[in-house]
């Protein structure tokens, strides 16, 4: 049996249905009727009657990709054989440093706004952070607590010393007054 050449019909149908020719389905049982159609109008009629239609889009499954990504999150498929770039290219040290600095600076800013540290301490710790003195947020927080404890202790010692000085001064004055009073009493007695 000689098959009719339906390339023209396929081309016209693709144009009418606004898709590629590979997506056009022509009914193999109605070849003779389809081969009679030589205009867009006729093709539209055949589309309406269901002898020609647009094939559905082939599905492109993401199942395997999702599975692979889930495994990768667990640390699989990341050995030497799977790596293309250098360690620096895969995770730049500058990016790690930026993240590290942002964490420390956000902490310092928050503490300054809450008045936990004054601006002088903020500036000092900011520069020390920039120099890499604190390897983590925890170390920085411990350092701040230590400094504050030292400052509080120094302040308390200063207050104690000042109170001691005042007491001694008052005692000296009282003693001087007593001596003066005695002297006056002796002079008046004579």
């Amino acid at each position: 049996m000689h098959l009719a050449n339906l390339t023209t019909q396929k081309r016209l149908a693709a144009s009418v249905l606004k898709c590629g020719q590979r997506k056009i389905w022509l009914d193999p049982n109605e070849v003779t009727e389809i081969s009679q159609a030589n205009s867009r109008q006729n093709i539209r009629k055949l589309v309406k009657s269901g002898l020609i239609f647009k094939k559905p889009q082939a599905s492109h499954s993401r199942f395997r990709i999702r599975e692979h990504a889930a495994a990768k999150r667990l640390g699989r498929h990341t050995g030497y054989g799977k790596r293309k770039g250098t360690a620096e290219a895969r995770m730049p040290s500058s990016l790690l440093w930026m993240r590290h600095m942002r964490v420390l600076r956000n902490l310092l800013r928050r503490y300054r706004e809450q008045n936990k540290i004054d601006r002088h301490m903020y500036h000092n710790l900011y520069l020390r952070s920039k120099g890499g003195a604190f390897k983590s947020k925890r170390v920085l927080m411990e350092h701040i607590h230590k400094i504050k404890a030292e400052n509080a202790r120094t302040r308390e010692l200063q207050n104690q010393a000042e109170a001691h000085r005042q007491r001694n001064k008052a005692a000296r004055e009282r003693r001087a007054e007593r001596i003066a009073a005695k002297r006056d009493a002796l002079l008046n007695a004579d």
Side-chain angles (χ1 to χ4, degrees):
M1 179 190 159
H2 174 66
L3 281 173
N5 185 9
L6 301 177
T7 48
T8 310
Q9 283 75 8
K10 198 167 249 194
R11 180 178 60 76
L12 288 171
S15 177
V16 167
L17 294 173
K18 294 187 171 63
C19 63
Q21 290 184 32
R22 64 198 288 274
K23 284 272 184 255
I24 297 297
W25 181 83
L26 306 172
D27 193 338
N29 304 323
E30 305 291 342
V31 170
T32 48
E33 196 178 333
I34 292 172
S35 63
Q36 301 299 311
N38 59 0
S39 68
R40 288 163 201 274
Q41 192 67 46
N42 294 349
I43 294 289
R44 279 194 200 95
K45 274 184 195 157
L46 293 174
V47 168
K48 208 167 192 183
S49 62
L51 301 184
I52 297 176
F53 65 74
K54 185 178 174 180
K55 289 183 199 168
Q57 193 167 355
S59 68
H60 183 184
S61 174
R62 300 256 326 150
F63 173 78
R64 286 183 300 278
I65 291 140
R66 282 196 210 100
E67 286 278 283
H68 193 266
K72 230 174 166 185
R73 274 194 292 278
L74 294 172
R76 315 286 181 267
H77 318 294
T78 51
Y80 293 127
K82 292 288 181 186
R83 300 180 197 174
K84 287 282 185 166
T86 60
E88 182 67 23
R90 286 161 64 84
M91 180 39 75
S93 56
S94 62
L95 190 67
L96 291 172
W97 176 256
M98 273 155 50
R99 283 181 191 164
H100 180 59
M101 279 297 101
R102 281 173 187 164
V103 167
L104 298 183
R105 287 173 183 178
N106 286 341
L107 177 76
L108 287 174
R109 197 174 310 119
R110 204 166 61 245
Y111 271 23
R112 185 182 59 181
E113 283 163 7
Q114 292 170 354
N115 295 325
K116 288 186 178 177
I117 58 174
D118 61 355
R119 62 198 182 90
H120 302 293
M121 196 192 284
Y122 169 85
H123 187 62
N124 182 16
L125 293 175
Y126 185 98
L127 292 177
R128 291 191 66 186
S129 301
K130 186 180 180 182
F134 310 111
K135 69 171 186 176
S136 69
K137 186 172 158 180
R138 181 180 55 78
V139 171
L140 176 56
M141 283 167 82
E142 282 171 6
H143 184 76
I144 289 170
H145 293 319
K146 195 170 126 194
I147 287 179
K148 286 179 79 173
E150 278 175 16
N151 288 351
R153 185 171 153 68
T154 310
R155 210 173 300 119
E156 196 175 328
L157 288 172
Q158 281 175 348
N159 290 343
Q160 282 176 0
E162 184 60 34
H164 199 66
R165 270 199 299 276
Q166 293 294 341
R167 259 204 319 278
N168 287 350
K169 191 178 176 187
R172 269 202 312 276
E173 284 172 359
R174 278 200 307 277
R175 188 160 172 269
E177 282 170 12
R178 269 204 317 277
I179 291 169
K182 271 187 186 174
R183 192 181 298 125
D184 288 347
L186 282 171
L187 289 172
N188 289 343
D190 290 346

